[in-house]
């Protein structure tokens, strides 16, 4: 009797596991839990410095610019450009860019992930939320909104059993035009998030790489951004 019971237990356990719902791969509860936390990440409650290293490439051109900006929870300050006090024209471009774009941060995932339509497991065993097309206003350039040309995938991590996004990758779904002159043939952005001292995720760094052509000449730009919290 004892032997039969012992042999039957693994079999019963296997049946129970097979019958159990795959809670960790159900889209709705997973997505909504992450969105709820993202909505609570108020950009007015954080302060940071953002250092951006931008390299422009083109025929006979390679320009590098290092910009330091500061967000104090209420307003932006342009600190330096290439280690120097910014010029009037640089201030003007800075004000235009910060007025047109939202403050970066984990909270922005609430809007992005609302468009996620599937959850999968990647080759490294990580759960990934798939976003087939980014919502309008997600990614803007000097020439306008390019969100509808982009897709995204968000890698999920857990902290004490609670899901959060560790990395968001955004890339072009197709070649597209920024205007009548520029054709974009490649675009990718990667946002990395880390847990802060309070255990809440926050944006740590991001990279962007774009490639394209104008008048038949190929070029592009690479940006690397580091966030230092205060």
């Amino acid at each position: 009797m004892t032997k039969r019971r012992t042999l039957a237990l693994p079999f019963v356990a296997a049946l129970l596991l097979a019958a159990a719902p795959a809670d960790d791969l159900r889209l709705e509860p997973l997505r909504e839990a992450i969105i709820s936390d993202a909505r609570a990440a108020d950009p007015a409650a954080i302060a940071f410095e953002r250092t951006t290293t931008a390299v422009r490439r083109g025929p006979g051109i390679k320009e590098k610019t290092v910009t330091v900006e500061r967000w104090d929870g209420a307003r932006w300050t342009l600190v330096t450009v290439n280690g120097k006090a910014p010029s009037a024209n640089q201030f003007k471009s800075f004000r235009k860019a910060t007025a047109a774009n939202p403050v970066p941060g984990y909270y922005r995932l609430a809007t992005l992930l609302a468009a996620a339509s599937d959850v999968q497991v990647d080759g490294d065993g990580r759960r990934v939320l798939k976003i087939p097309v980014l919502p309008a206003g997600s990614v803007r350039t000097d020439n306008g909104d390019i969100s509808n040309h982009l897709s995204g995938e968000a890698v999920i991590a857990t902290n004490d059993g609670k899901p959060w996004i560790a990395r968001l990758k955004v890339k072009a779904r197709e070649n597209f035009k920024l205007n009548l002159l520029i054709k974009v043939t490649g675009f990718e952005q990667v946002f990395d998030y880390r847990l802060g001292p309070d255990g809440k995720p926050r944006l740590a760094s991001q990279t962007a790489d774009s490639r394209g052509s104008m008048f038949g000449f190929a070029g592009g730009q690479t940006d690397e951004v580091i966030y230092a919290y205060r």
Side-chain angles (χ1 to χ4, degrees), residues 31-46:
R31 181 179 59 187
E32 293 310 312
I34 297 171
I35 287 176
S36 177
D37 282 345
R39 284 177 178 155
D42 185 359
I46 58 174

Side-chain angles (χ1 to χ4, degrees), residues 24-25 30 118-130 153-158 164-169 190-194:
D24 58 346
L25 289 179
L30 187 59
D118 191 19
V119 56
Q120 300 176 7
V121 176
D122 68 8
D124 295 320
R126 304 173 303 182
R127 291 174 297 172
V128 179
L129 286 170
K130 300 286 187 175
E153 55 182 39
V155 177
I156 299 170
T158 57
W164 60 282
I165 298 302
R167 168 171 285 194
L168 171 69
K169 180 183 288 187
V190 177
F191 302 81
D192 284 312
Y193 303 89
R194 299 288 184 271

Side-chain angles (χ1 to χ4, degrees), residues 168-212:
L168 171 69
K169 180 183 288 187
V170 170
K171 61 183 180 180
R173 301 187 298 115
E174 59 197 0
N175 293 342
F176 60 93
K177 289 188 176 181
L178 284 179
N179 51 37
L180 295 177
L181 302 177
I182 301 175
K183 181 179 180 180
V184 178
T185 56
F187 181 88
E188 181 176 283
Q189 279 188 312
V190 177
F191 302 81
D192 284 312
Y193 303 89
R194 299 288 184 271
L195 296 179
D198 58 359
K200 296 178 180 179
R202 59 191 188 186
L203 182 58
S205 64
Q206 66 187 78
T207 60
D209 184 73
S210 59
R211 301 178 302 280

Side-chain angles (χ1 to χ4, degrees), residues 22-217:
D23 290 345
D24 58 346
L25 289 179
R26 288 188 300 163
L27 175 64
E28 289 296 332
L30 187 59
R31 181 179 59 187
E32 293 310 312
I34 297 171
I35 287 176
S36 177
D37 282 345
R39 284 177 178 155
D42 185 359
I46 58 174
F48 58 79
E49 281 193 352
R50 176 173 68 179
T51 301
T52 303
T53 302
V55 178
R56 292 181 59 195
R57 308 177 302 275
I61 300 174
K62 188 174 182 180
E63 298 177 350
K64 179 179 177 180
T65 305
V66 180
T67 306
V68 178
E69 303 155 303
R70 182 177 297 134
W71 169 255
D72 66 4
R75 62 185 60 82
W76 282 103
T77 301
L78 179 57
V79 182
T80 60
V81 179
N82 290 331
K84 300 178 181 179
S87 66
N89 284 338
Q90 289 167 338
F91 264 122
K92 183 177 180 180
S93 297
F94 164 76
R95 286 193 295 267
K96 181 179 179 181
T98 52
N101 290 285
V103 177
Y106 191 77
Y107 78 101
R108 296 202 62 217
L109 289 173
T111 299
L112 287 168
L113 295 183
S117 61
D118 191 19
V119 56
Q120 300 176 7
V121 176
D122 68 8
D124 295 320
R126 304 173 303 182
R127 291 174 297 172
V128 179
L129 286 170
K130 300 286 187 175
I131 309 170
V133 183
L134 264 58
S138 300
V139 179
R140 300 185 63 87
T141 70
D142 294 340
N143 297 288
D145 187 357
I146 64 171
S147 306
N148 65 313
H149 299 294
L150 309 177
S151 63
E153 55 182 39
V155 177
I156 299 170
T158 57
N159 181 38
D160 291 332
K162 194 173 186 179
W164 60 282
I165 298 302
R167 168 171 285 194
L168 171 69
K169 180 183 288 187
V170 170
K171 61 183 180 180
R173 301 187 298 115
E174 59 197 0
N175 293 342
F176 60 93
K177 289 188 176 181
L178 284 179
N179 51 37
L180 295 177
L181 302 177
I182 301 175
K183 181 179 180 180
V184 178
T185 56
F187 181 88
E188 181 176 283
Q189 279 188 312
V190 177
F191 302 81
D192 284 312
Y193 303 89
R194 299 288 184 271
L195 296 179
D198 58 359
K200 296 178 180 179
R202 59 191 188 186
L203 182 58
S205 64
Q206 66 187 78
T207 60
D209 184 73
S210 59
R211 301 178 302 280
S213 62
M214 184 171 65
F215 300 123
F217 295 100

